[in-house]
Amino acid sequence: MVEKIQESLRNSKTARWTALFIVSFTMLCAYFLTDIMAPLAGLLEGQLGWTRSEYGTFTSAYGWFNVFLLMLIFGGIILDKVGVRITGLGATILMVVGTAIKYWAVSTNSLDGQTIVGINAQVFWASIGFATFAVGVEVAGITVSKIIVKWFKGKELALAMGLEMAMARIGTGLALGFSVPIAKAMGVIDVSRPVLVALIGLCIGMIAFMVYMVLDKRLDKSEATTAVTGSSEDEFKISDIFKIVSNRGWWYIAILCVLFYSAVFPFLKYATDLMVNKFGVNEDIAGMIPMLLPFGNILLTPLFGSIYDRKGKGASIMILGSILLIFVHTMFSIPSLNNWVIAIVLVIILGIGFSLVPSAMWPSVPKIVPEKRLGTAYAMIFYVQNWGLMGVPLLIGWVLEKYCITGQTVRDGLTVNTYDYTLPMIIFAGFGVLALIFAFLLKAEDKRKGYGLELPNIVKEDVVIESEIREV
């Protein structure tokens, strides 16, 4: 009877898919805020006087606390020590607080004409808010990853992670497509309005995670009655960090992650501006083209995840995704390819590549790292990734400001600069080339160590039980 109780929640499709939906909704709200400013670069310049370099500084703030204060590393250790409930709740609170600071910064006039450590005061405080939010969203990301492994290990793991990413991409897509219309609603341009909408959404997402905490407590209570599953969250030791960083396979995934995401997320921060400057798309609808990328992920990431679950070929999937990334950014860098139809096609192809790599990369980590170290392993990958998410937007903003201004124009009564995006696209393509190299290195390491990255994720129940007994 005890074994039946233990299996009733983890093996209940209703329970595990309900848990997935709840935490995925929280991440949808988080990613809506993450990209809410991306389409507003032109409006920020016109209304608030932000230069592209200042916009790059603000965008790079995403990694300030995570990188320099090691907040992500601490978050991963806390996750492995105290579990997903306390860590996840703390992360959602940080997201709300950071967004509130950011909203205040871009909505107040009290900072006009001031500077802090040589930075426009408004940019500084908006960056502090964004950096605080970033700690929350990144810790929430690793927490949700561990939650999914907790519920779906030995089952539809890659599909579940793909669906979670798809939900998150809905948030990104909504931000890219509707940020400018929200800012221009009611006939008055107000760049703070989309941030307020995102803040309200994050409060709802925090409440949703509180609901998940009840379900997670029930799962832990049912598993506490059996020695088969055990509890791995209390077994983590600080010394395990050295075991993670001494794993070459982990390093290949971490470096592939930072290179691949550095060629996608920072690109999305500038993609709307690219559509306006290179392809001549009207600013009011320019965000609709980049929006195709995350909305394409909604279908493709779960599809590719399901393929990985049933057929395997994880490392090969990552190689293919990297090749598509190189192709798209190379095409974007060619000045003569400036028809908006071409832009749509390239964004769709990039969406396919962006669905392929994450659908295989994140479910591959549990094959390389034991579950008791999983929270810290994910956190350290996110830490490496944050170097790219911090540095690349800053680099692109500096390159645009230094080398790519081609003139000025007037949009919505505001005078703004025009930019040539050839050089930034070449930089993004270079990241893709490096990502491809490390994808091949990962496949070679898998063949050497036998991690099983090319094998399916779904295994028979008796194999799962046997594996859990060995871990205990």
Side-chain angles (χ1 to χ4, degrees):
M1 180 65 179
V2 170
E3 181 67 24
K4 183 175 181 181
I5 294 175
Q6 186 269 329
E7 292 182 353
S8 63
L9 207 56
R10 183 189 296 272
N11 290 348
S12 166
K13 287 187 175 181
T14 300
R16 66 175 181 264
W17 291 108
T18 298
L20 176 68
F21 175 79
I22 293 173
V23 297
S24 297
F25 175 77
T26 299
M27 295 309 295
L28 181 156
C29 297
Y31 275 88
F32 180 71
L33 185 279
T34 300
D35 293 294
I36 198 68
M37 301 289 272
L40 300 177
L43 293 180
L44 287 168
E45 181 180 347
Q47 183 185 356
L48 302 183
W50 289 22
T51 66
R52 284 301 187 278
S53 181
E54 287 175 331
Y55 173 72
T57 298
F58 161 76
T59 304
S60 75
Y62 188 92
W64 286 2
F65 296 160
N66 285 326
V67 171
F68 297 124
L69 299 184
L70 304 179
M71 296 306 295
L72 252 177
I73 305 297
F74 291 130
I77 294 172
I78 291 170
L79 173 59
D80 282 326
K81 283 289 187 181
V82 305
V84 298
R85 293 194 294 275
I86 296 176
T87 308
L89 180 61
T92 57
I93 292 173
L94 277 176
M95 288 193 289
V96 171
V97 171
T99 305
I101 296 172
K102 179 178 173 179
Y103 172 68
W104 167 76
V106 298
S107 62
T108 184
N109 294 321
S110 63
L111 300 174
D112 292 352
Q114 301 180 40
T115 61
I116 300 176
V117 295
I119 302 175
N120 179 318
Q122 190 176 56
V123 175
F124 176 84
W125 282 111
S127 300
I128 292 295
F130 196 35
T132 303
F133 162 82
V135 175
V137 72
E138 292 290 291
V139 174
I142 61 175
T143 302
V144 169
S145 295
K146 190 162 186 178
I147 286 171
I148 296 173
V149 173
K150 184 176 182 179
W151 285 88
F152 288 88
K153 183 179 179 181
K155 302 182 186 298
E156 313 93 335
L157 180 61
L159 174 60
M161 286 190 168
L163 287 169
E164 184 274 325
M165 284 185 278
M167 286 280 286
R169 299 298 173 254
I170 292 177
T172 299
L174 291 174
L176 294 175
F178 296 101
S179 180
V180 171
I182 292 173
K184 292 184 175 181
M186 295 179 282
V188 179
I189 297 177
D190 184 355
V191 295
S192 70
R193 195 178 297 124
V195 182
L196 176 61
V197 173
L199 176 59
I200 295 170
L202 277 170
C203 291
I204 298 172
M206 180 174 66
I207 294 171
F209 190 84
M210 292 177 181
V211 174
Y212 167 78
M213 292 171 67
V214 177
L215 192 59
D216 186 83
K217 189 172 184 179
R218 288 182 55 201
L219 174 62
D220 283 352
K221 185 177 180 180
S222 69
E223 294 188 342
T225 60
T226 175
V228 172
T229 300
S231 178
S232 62
E233 291 190 340
D234 296 328
E235 297 174 6
F236 177 83
K237 301 178 180 62
I238 298 298
S239 60
D240 286 341
I241 292 178
F242 298 100
K243 296 179 181 178
I244 294 172
V245 298
S246 62
N247 186 324
R248 188 181 298 176
W250 176 87
W251 273 110
Y252 288 153
I253 284 187
I255 296 174
L256 170 62
C257 174
V258 67
L259 290 169
F260 186 84
Y261 278 85
S262 292
V264 177
F265 282 136
F267 166 76
L268 287 177
K269 301 296 184 185
Y270 292 94
T272 301
D273 200 47
L274 169 70
M275 299 304 150
V276 173
N277 280 275
K278 179 175 181 178
F279 296 97
V281 182
N282 185 281
E283 188 176 51
D284 291 347
I285 60 173
M288 296 293 180
I289 296 179
M291 186 179 71
L292 295 174
L293 188 153
F295 273 106
N297 294 157
I298 296 171
L299 296 175
L300 294 177
T301 306
L303 172 62
F304 295 140
S306 181
I307 292 173
Y308 184 24
D309 280 331
R310 301 178 188 281
K311 303 296 182 180
K313 305 299 180 184
S316 299
I317 289 174
M318 287 183 259
I319 289 172
L320 177 58
S322 299
I323 292 173
L324 292 179
L325 184 71
I326 297 169
F327 170 78
V328 169
H329 286 314
T330 300
M331 293 299 102
F332 269 132
S333 71
I334 300 175
S336 60
L337 298 179
N338 56 6
N339 187 285
W340 63 271
V341 176
I342 294 175
I344 291 176
V345 173
L346 290 177
V347 167
I348 291 173
I349 296 174
L350 182 60
I352 296 172
F354 192 41
S355 299
L356 283 165
V357 174
S359 69
M361 180 170 60
W362 298 119
S364 294
V365 179
K367 293 185 175 183
I368 294 176
V369 178
E371 187 172 351
K372 71 173 184 176
R373 303 174 194 148
L374 201 53
T376 303
Y378 275 125
M380 293 173 68
I381 292 174
F382 278 43
Y383 174 78
V384 174
Q385 179 195 88
N386 268 251
W387 277 98
L389 298 183
M390 177 186 68
V392 175
L394 192 62
L395 170 65
I396 299 300
W398 177 80
V399 168
L400 284 169
E401 193 76 16
K402 186 77 173 177
Y403 301 106
C404 303
I405 296 178
T406 58
Q408 287 188 328
T409 188
V410 176
R411 300 191 192 113
D412 297 311
L414 304 174
T415 301
V416 297
N417 291 326
T418 56
Y419 298 88
D420 178 0
Y421 271 84
T422 300
L423 183 55
M425 292 303 107
I426 292 174
I427 294 173
F428 286 133
F431 289 131
V433 172
L434 294 174
L436 179 61
I437 292 172
F438 280 92
F440 274 113
L441 289 174
L442 178 62
K443 185 172 183 178
E445 183 70 5
D446 175 53
K447 186 176 294 185
R448 190 170 71 90
K449 287 291 187 69
Y451 292 125
L453 302 186
E454 296 289 276
L455 299 177
N457 291 316
I458 296 179
V459 297
K460 295 181 180 179
E461 190 65 26
D462 55 347
V463 177
V464 174
I465 294 175
E466 181 182 351
S467 173
E468 291 174 341
I469 291 174
R470 284 201 303 270
E471 287 184 10
V472 174

